[in-house]
Structures are given as structure tokens and as C-alpha cells.
């Protein structure tokens, strides 16, 4: 069984490598743009998955950090600064703001924390829309250039895609290392039982704040990459509705699963675009998409990546039931 699992994991890894490295060579500009959009959302959802899936906090304000990252890069580049200065600045600002947003989580939990973060998202969005001197308001900021790396322009869709892919892989490796470290174990303990975690020496305060701060930093990086991808930003993509959609991506992929953001972002970003071009479906793709998500939440509340675990659990239950039946028959035969 372990050998089979390793073979399956290897097959999935090879298929994923084929998808992200080879397929873009045969796609037109819009296909490459869509895959880049997907990768950017994977980065953002990785951060939200850390906050929700691993640390067990509720957040409906992730799109605000996504927007802060986008506007930070756009404003700095408009002022004549480099993208390479704007990218880490966006991550640091989001880290600091996320740290501040984590303080309400020390006092309120569950639905109350969700409403607190929702209010934060609304406040940030109002600043983006109304402070025209800084953000351009509803007119937005345009002509956001893509960066130059070692003298090589990333202006084209394909070069920029591979740059975003490299950033995604680096951030994935960093998150993988974090989750395998004592920090990752502390986050999971915080999620499972905060009282027990605190009794075992986990600093609940610090890890709650860090879960928001690190998740926000990932969203800030994603927002910075998003600004250079679309080359024009305005407040529309950073509303509360966008935060709810990001939360949905985490849940659909599987909260607390490392590859959950890959699946969730695919369902939330790529699937609707694909349905829009399917004959006889294009006029109904949004209702169909919504219905599919509702049905998924009913039958798979732990997300798509919970399917193998559910299968294993059912198999273990059947084996345990068969073992009990065999033991009962032996006892009955012996008597």
C-alpha cells in the first residue's frame, strides 16, 4: 500500500510538472495569462490556508492584504521606484498590518473574529476607493510595468509566467519547511485545542499573531505580482466578496491540506473561465458553478483533498467491522 501511495504521489508530481512547465509552451497569451492568475491566487490562498487551515483562525479580510500588496507596488513604481523594492515592501507592510489584525483574535473567536476581519476589509476598501490622492480612487492606477530580471524583460506573458512560477515554488518550499518545523506543530496544536496547546507550553498569543502576519505577507506578495500582471488596479478586486471567494477556495481545496490552495485556486479561478467557453454551458456557467460548490460543501465539507482520507477511513471501518465479525464468530463457535 505504501509503495502504491508513493507511485501515486510520483505520478501526480510528474503530471503537475508537465502542466506548469510544458503546457504553457503550447498556450496562447490568454491561456498563459490565466495560468499566471492561478499561480498568484495559489500564493494568496497558501497564506490564508496557514491562518485558517493550520492555525484555526477565521478571517474574511484576506483580499484587503491582497489589495495592500498591489497598491504598495503600484504607488511605489508610480513614484519611480523599482518593482524589486516594492515587492519586499509590500510583504513587510502586510506582515505588520496582519500582526495588528491578529490582536482581535486574542479576544474574540469564531464568527466574531470573522466579522472583525470583515470590517477591516471594508475599511481598507473604502480607503482604496475614496483616497484618490493616494490610490487614484475608482480611476485606479495604470501603466504598472512588469519587472526586468538580470537585464531580461519580463514584459511578455510567458516570461512573466515563469517568474511567477519560480516565486510560487520558492514560497511553497518556505511554507513546507515552516509547517514541518516546531512552528508548524504549534500552529496545528493551536487549531486543534488552544487550551491544551497552552498547557503544553505553546505561546498562544505569539502564534495567533504570527498566523495572521505570515498569511498576510503571502497575500501581499501575491498582490504585488497581481499588480504587475494586470498592469492596472482599482478597488474592485479587493472587496469583501473577494475575501469570501478566497475563503471558499481554501475550503473547497481542503483547509489544512498543503496542496489545498492548488486545487482551490484552480476551482475558483480556472474552472469558471473554462465553463464560460463550454458549448451549451456558457450562458449558465455561474449558476452551475455555484450549484457545484454548494453540493461540494454538502458532501465534502473538508474539501476535495479529503477524498483519499475518507476512502481510507471507510476502508479501515470495513476492515474493523470484518475483524469484529470474525472475532464474534470464533467466540460463538468456541462456545
Amino acid at each position: 500500500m505504501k509503495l502504491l501511495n508513493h507511485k501515486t504521489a510520483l505520478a501526480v508530481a510528474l503530471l503537475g510538472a508537465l502542466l506548469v512547465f510544458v503546457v504553457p509552451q503550447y498556450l496562447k497569451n490568454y491561456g498563459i495569462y490565466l495560468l499566471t492568475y492561478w499561480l498568484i491566487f495559489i500564493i494568496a490562498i497558501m497564506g490564508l490556508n496557514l491562518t485558517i487551515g493550520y492555525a484555526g483562525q477565521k478571517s474574511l479580510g484576506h483580499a484587503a492584504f491582497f489589495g495592500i500588496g498591489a497598491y504598495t507596488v503600484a504607488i511605489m513604481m508610480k513614484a519611480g521606484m523599482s518593482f524589486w523594492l516594492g515587492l519586499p515592501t509590500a510583504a513587510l507592510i502586510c506582515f505588520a498590518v496582519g500582526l495588528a489584525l491578529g490582536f482581535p483574535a486574542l479576544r474574540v473567536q469564531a464568527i466574531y473574529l470573522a466579522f472583525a476581519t470583515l470590517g477591516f476589509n471594508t475599511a481598507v476598501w473604502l480607503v482604496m476607493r475614496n483616497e484618490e490622492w493616494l490610490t487614484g480612487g475608482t480611476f485606479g492606477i495604470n501603466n504598472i510595468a512588469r519587472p526586468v530580471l538580470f537585464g531580461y524583460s519580463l514584459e511578455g506573458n510567458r516570461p512573466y509566467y515563469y517568474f511567477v512560477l519560480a516565486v510560487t515554488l520558492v514560497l511553497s518550499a518556505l511554507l513546507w519547511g515552516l509547517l514541518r518545523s516546531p512552528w508548524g506543530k504549534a500552529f496545528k496544536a493551536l487549531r486543534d485545542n488552544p487550551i491544551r496547546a497552552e498547557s503544553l507550553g505553546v505561546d498562544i498569543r505569539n502564534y495567533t499573531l504570527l498566523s495572521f502576519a505570515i498569511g498576510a505577507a503571502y497575500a501581499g506578495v501575491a498582490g504585488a505580482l497581481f499588480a504587475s500582471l494586470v498592469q492596472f488596479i482599482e478597488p474592485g478586486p479587493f472587496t469583501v466578496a473577494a475575501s469570501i471567494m478566497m475563503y471558499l477556495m481554501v475550503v473547497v481545496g481542503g483547509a489544512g491540506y498543503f496542496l489545498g490552495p492548488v486545487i482551490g485556486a484552480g476551482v475558483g479561478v480556472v474552472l469558471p473561465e473554462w465553463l464560460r467557453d463550454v458549448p451549451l454551458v456558457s450562458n449558465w456557467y455561474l449558476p452551475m458553478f455555484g450549484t457545484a460548490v454548494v453540493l461540494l460543501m454538502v458532501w465534502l465539507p473538508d474539501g476535495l483533498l479529503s477524498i483519499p482520507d475518507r476512502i481510507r477511513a471507510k476502508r479501515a471501518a470495513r476492515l474493523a467491522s470484518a475483524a469484529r465479525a470474525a472475532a464474534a464468530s470464533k467466540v460463538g463457535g468456541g462456545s
Side-chain angles (χ1 to χ4, degrees), residues 27-256:
L27 294 177
K28 295 182 180 179
N29 277 335
Y30 181 69
I32 298 171
Y33 175 90
L34 188 59
L35 283 183
T36 309
Y37 200 77
W38 170 59
L39 290 175
I40 288 171
F41 268 86
I42 288 175
I43 296 173
I45 304 307
M46 279 195 294
L48 186 57
N49 191 33
L50 174 66
T51 305
I52 296 173
Y54 287 99
Q57 306 301 312
K58 298 292 184 288
S59 175
L60 290 176
H62 208 61
F65 298 116
F66 191 63
I68 290 170
Y71 272 100
T72 298
V73 163
I75 292 169
M76 291 181 68
M77 293 184 72
K78 186 178 179 181
M81 301 181 195
S82 167
F83 171 88
W84 302 110
L85 178 61
L87 182 64
T89 302
L92 289 173
I93 290 176
C94 287
F95 184 91
V97 177
L99 202 63
L101 185 64
F103 279 96
L106 302 176
R107 292 184 172 272
V108 295
Q109 289 293 323
I111 190 66
Y112 303 103
L113 177 58
F115 278 119
T117 56
L118 186 149
F120 163 74
N121 198 145
T122 302
V124 171
W125 180 78
L126 287 173
V127 170
M128 293 174 183
R129 191 187 69 172
N130 295 328
E131 301 302 320
E132 295 185 4
W133 64 274
L134 179 66
T135 66
T138 55
F139 296 101
I141 301 175
N142 57 14
N143 297 323
I144 304 169
R146 291 178 182 172
V148 175
L149 180 63
F150 302 121
Y152 183 72
S153 174
L154 302 177
E155 189 64 30
N157 281 339
R158 188 171 284 110
Y160 192 73
Y161 164 80
Y162 283 109
F163 164 65
V164 174
L165 175 61
V167 175
T168 305
L169 293 175
V170 169
L171 292 179
S172 298
L174 289 175
L175 184 61
W176 177 268
L178 174 68
L179 294 174
R180 294 299 176 273
S181 72
W183 284 27
K185 295 177 182 178
F187 283 133
K188 294 173 187 176
L190 174 63
R191 173 195 64 193
D192 295 337
N193 193 321
I195 297 175
R196 184 175 63 186
E198 190 169 23
S199 69
L200 294 174
V202 175
D203 192 326
I204 299 298
R205 176 188 175 91
N206 287 346
Y207 282 102
T208 298
L209 296 177
L210 280 173
S211 70
F212 278 94
I214 297 173
Y218 269 69
V221 172
L225 297 172
F226 173 77
S228 280
L229 172 68
V230 299
Q231 300 184 302
F232 167 78
I233 57 168
E234 49 90 22
F238 314 117
T239 61
V240 169
S243 285
I244 294 172
M245 189 63 184
M246 289 182 175
Y247 195 105
L248 180 67
M249 291 180 193
V250 172
V251 175
V252 167

